[in-house]
Amino acid sequence: AGFGGGSSNAATALWAANQFSGCLATEKELQEWSSEIGSDIPFFFSHGAAYCTGRGEIVQDLPPPISFDLPMVLIKPPQACSTAEVYKRLRLDQAISIDPLTLLEKISREGISQDVCVNDLESPAFEVLPSLKRLKQRIIAAGCGQYDAVFMSGSG
């Protein structure tokens, strides 16, 4: 569904195999090895909040920018969105040029808002699956300004 379920399962399987083997590898080694399986698996060896660079395999732990008890609603529409198709339509010349660390600092200071919740894959995902854009518009309209932010996670 694009929320990291498969990657977190892979990280857990590596961690469990290491535990059952007598902890032969450090968590740092597991994190490095996991990047060969999938780019976002190393994140799941972080401490809950992290800044990821490279393909996602370079992980720097951060203090959580928001409280873990902040209410959030996740919506998973029944339609699938091809990640490969989304990336094919990504135009890097139109990517947001704000430094992610600057956004994290702003979130830490001011909280969640629509201007700090950015995802360069949102527009291409809307091209691939126009119903995603309509869904976002319906959620924003139904919220009547009550939501701090409405944004897409991952590649759709």
Side-chain angles (χ1 to χ4, degrees):
F3 294 121
S7 296
S8 65
N9 288 348
T12 300
L14 284 171
W15 179 84
N18 189 49
Q19 291 292 309
F20 291 132
S21 300
C23 296
L24 300 174
T26 66
E27 278 203 19
K28 188 68 177 165
E29 289 172 321
L30 292 174
Q31 190 176 50
E32 290 171 14
W33 297 340
S34 70
S35 70
E36 296 177 25
I37 300 169
S39 294
D40 58 349
I41 298 171
F43 167 78
F44 293 97
F45 289 102
S46 73
H47 294 113
Y51 177 62
C52 302
T53 55
R55 299 179 336 268
E57 82 284 7
I58 302 167
V59 179
Q60 175 188 347
D61 283 311
L62 297 174
I66 59 171
S67 171
F68 286 135
D69 63 358
L70 179 72
M72 293 185 192
V73 175
L74 298 175
I75 298 172
K76 167 59 177 93
Q79 304 88 356
C81 189
S82 166
T83 299
E85 284 301 313
V86 170
Y87 274 94
K88 282 181 190 174
R89 295 170 192 246
L90 176 63
R91 291 178 293 280
L92 292 176
D93 61 322
Q94 295 178 3
I96 296 163
S97 61
I98 301 171
D99 175 43
L101 291 175
T102 301
L103 290 174
L104 282 170
E105 288 173 21
K106 187 171 182 181
I107 291 170
S108 295
R109 280 192 324 272
E110 301 172 21
I112 295 292
S113 64
Q114 194 64 48
D115 67 318
V116 296
C117 296
V118 296
N119 183 343
D120 289 322
L121 297 176
E122 194 173 69
S123 290
F126 290 168
E127 290 176 23
V128 171
L129 192 62
S131 62
L132 282 177
K133 184 174 186 174
R134 291 190 300 273
L135 176 61
K136 179 177 179 172
Q137 291 168 336
R138 287 189 0 239
I139 293 167
I140 291 169
C144 298
Q146 295 181 61
Y147 306 130
D148 296 327
V150 176
F151 61 99
M152 187 185 77
S153 170
S155 60

